[in-house]
Amino acid sequence: MIGIINYGSGNVQAIANIYNRTNFQYKIIQDPEQLKNVDKLILPGVGDFDETIKVLDSSGLRNALNEEVLVKKKPVLGICVGMQIMAESSEEGTLDGLGWIKGRVKKFDISWFKQKPYLPHMGWNTFTPKIEHPIFLNLDSEQGFYFVHSYYYECADDSNILATSDYGIEF
């Protein structure tokens, strides 16, 4: 069963709707005790880095998630701020991230762009796989993914990078 972590993010229901249409079983998790009944996790996103960390801390979910991901090795998918909080820190905030993937979330520098609008990076963009991975099976790298973001993840260890895209810089 997939656990969708509800920490006040704006798109929990959007993720749940996807699973409703595909008949995958999921549970919306709001309490650390509920984590015991799931074997995969989704950290959805739409929100502020520091606010997300504050909610995880005050709800007890941060320590419980650390146990589930770092000790029990449950797979986790982070979407938008859900991925960003996996970093050690972010230029968007001042609080420490979860630190699951060593690195920092940085804001794109508008001096890298030749034309407006600079930010957010919005629209379809290609990607380049860096390793063979099942997540890319049947995906068209030239069609790419739809992006809406102003920040990117700067990994401390390149072995943690599955794919890159380009928007002024390779990220």
Side-chain angles (χ1 to χ4, degrees), residues 5-171:
I5 311 303
N6 184 3
Y7 44 76
S9 164
N11 69 355
V12 170
Q13 193 56 53
I15 303 302
N17 289 341
I18 292 167
Y19 286 109
N20 284 333
R21 285 192 298 269
T22 58
N23 294 318
F24 274 90
Q25 289 189 323
Y26 70 91
K27 176 178 274 209
I28 296 177
I29 306 293
Q30 294 179 222
D31 178 276
E33 284 298 311
Q34 296 172 309
L35 289 168
K36 295 175 184 172
N37 301 320
V38 298
D39 50 11
K40 295 180 178 126
L41 304 166
I42 296 178
L43 298 172
V46 175
D48 176 80
F49 187 94
D50 280 358
E51 281 305 310
T52 302
I53 292 295
K54 285 177 189 175
V55 170
L56 288 177
D57 285 343
S58 67
S59 67
L61 280 167
R62 181 185 188 131
N63 290 336
L65 285 168
N66 282 338
E67 173 76 14
E68 298 298 313
V69 173
L70 299 176
V71 177
K72 295 180 182 175
K73 305 293 185 194
K74 286 186 182 177
V76 61
L77 170 68
I79 302 170
C80 196
V81 77
M83 181 183 142
Q84 293 177 16
I85 63 173
M86 291 186 211
E88 295 169 295
S89 64
S90 173
E91 288 183 355
E92 182 182 28
T94 59
L95 298 178
D96 289 339
L98 298 171
W100 296 345
I101 303 171
K102 302 301 179 206
R104 178 175 171 85
V105 174
K106 298 178 78 171
K107 188 167 187 172
F108 285 105
D109 183 333
I110 62 171
S111 70
W112 299 332
F113 307 116
K114 294 179 176 76
Q115 60 188 26
K116 293 181 182 181
Y118 307 123
L119 295 175
H121 171 212
M122 185 181 308
W124 290 94
N125 200 349
T126 61
F127 69 93
T128 304
K130 294 298 180 186
I131 63 170
E132 256 188 66
H133 193 279
I135 199 167
F136 302 124
L137 190 64
N138 299 320
L139 290 181
D140 180 353
S141 64
E142 287 304 309
Q143 178 184 358
F145 295 104
Y146 191 84
F147 290 89
V148 181
H149 64 120
S150 298
Y151 294 84
Y152 65 96
Y153 206 119
E154 184 179 75
C155 285
D157 180 352
D158 286 350
S159 70
N160 288 322
I161 301 171
L162 296 181
T164 59
S165 190
D166 188 89
Y167 191 65
I169 63 163
E170 183 181 64
F171 69 94

